[in-house]
Amino acid sequence: MTADASDAVEVRNALLRLRRATGLPVAFGGLLEAGRHMRISELSGTATHALRSLVVTSGTGLGGKTVALSRPCVVTDYSASRQISHEYDAPVTAEGLRSVLAVPVVVRHRVRGVLYGALRTAQPLGGRMLDAAVEAARDVERALVVRDEARTLAAGGGAGAGWEQVREAHAALRALAPRIADPELRAELLGACALLAADSGASGPAPRVRLAPREVDVLACVAAGATNAVAAERLGVTAETVKGYLRSAMRKLRARTRGEAVVAARRAGWLP
């Protein structure tokens, strides 16, 4: 699958969460282009533009090693490390980075990108920091899986590429509805959401599948590619609450994964 701007947004959001969870002052990353090359497109906390648009080749430097091995890699002093090659010392030194970790974003056994976290001092990066970076990468992986499935459905389902925009609009409207105080206006907005779902060609809600409004809200966000954290921000609830609604919806839809839940909800007429 080819990365697009919405995929880059997921990387950007994951970097912000990585910094908040670890306290690391710098985070950056990007997605693979043409299989072996990754372009660093997203920067958070950097003081220079030295790393922007840097192209990293599989096997080279810390990120390239991470791509080649498909596992996290860490160095305590980047420029002095004997564990990596040093093609990118100049931009790393220009940014003043010393201790750096890199975590792969892996979707269906294929590396799709890398997230980095870094300190400007040479000191060990503990397991807690690495665990937080891995969790941030998992968030991106889950979002990419859903987006890939949405693109596949749009390309092969006869609905056309325009349905991705319809689904994003549907998710935005569902997230907006609970914030509207006027009950008539809120009902009218939810009616428009139902029309969008009906126009998708689905047969309408299956008689034995009844979803609560908040379950539909969460599924709409997931269908648009949002992670649990992003869905929580959009809906004004906690990430744990989002997980609870998602688990409940998956149980009702008899889905084992987030992607299966989205597909089942579309087939039942709950989502466009």
Side-chain angles (χ1 to χ4, degrees), residues 106-107 109 121 146 156 168 202:
V106 183
V107 177
H109 309 292
T121 55
V146 173
E168 289 178 358

Side-chain angles (χ1 to χ4, degrees), residues 30-157:
L31 298 172
L32 262 67
E33 301 175 347
R36 289 178 53 83
H37 302 286
M38 182 198 65
R39 184 179 300 276
I40 295 175
S41 61
E42 308 304 318
L43 308 174
S44 181
T46 51
T48 73
H49 297 293
L51 297 170
R52 185 173 296 282
S53 297
L54 181 68
V55 176
V56 177
T57 302
S58 176
T60 60
L62 182 67
K65 181 178 179 180
T66 297
V67 172
L69 298 179
S70 189
R71 63 173 174 80
C73 296
V74 183
V75 293
T76 301
D77 192 344
Y78 189 99
S79 62
S81 176
R82 297 183 179 180
Q83 302 171 14
I84 59 172
S85 60
H86 290 276
E87 291 84 352
Y88 314 108
D89 281 8
V92 171
T93 301
E95 183 56 43
L97 304 182
R98 302 287 295 280
S99 295
V100 186
L101 61 81
V103 177
V105 174
V106 183
V107 177
R108 296 188 177 93
H109 309 292
R110 184 165 65 90
V111 177
R112 293 276 293 275
V114 176
L115 304 184
Y116 300 81
L119 289 168
R120 292 191 169 90
T121 55
Q123 62 186 70
L125 296 174
R128 182 182 65 84
M129 293 184 179
L130 187 59
D131 289 345
V134 169
E135 184 56 34
R138 297 299 87 84
D139 284 345
V140 179
E141 290 167 4
R142 288 188 284 266
L144 292 182
V145 167
V146 173
R147 289 183 185 279
D148 286 354
E149 290 179 351
R151 292 180 187 121
T152 299
L153 287 171

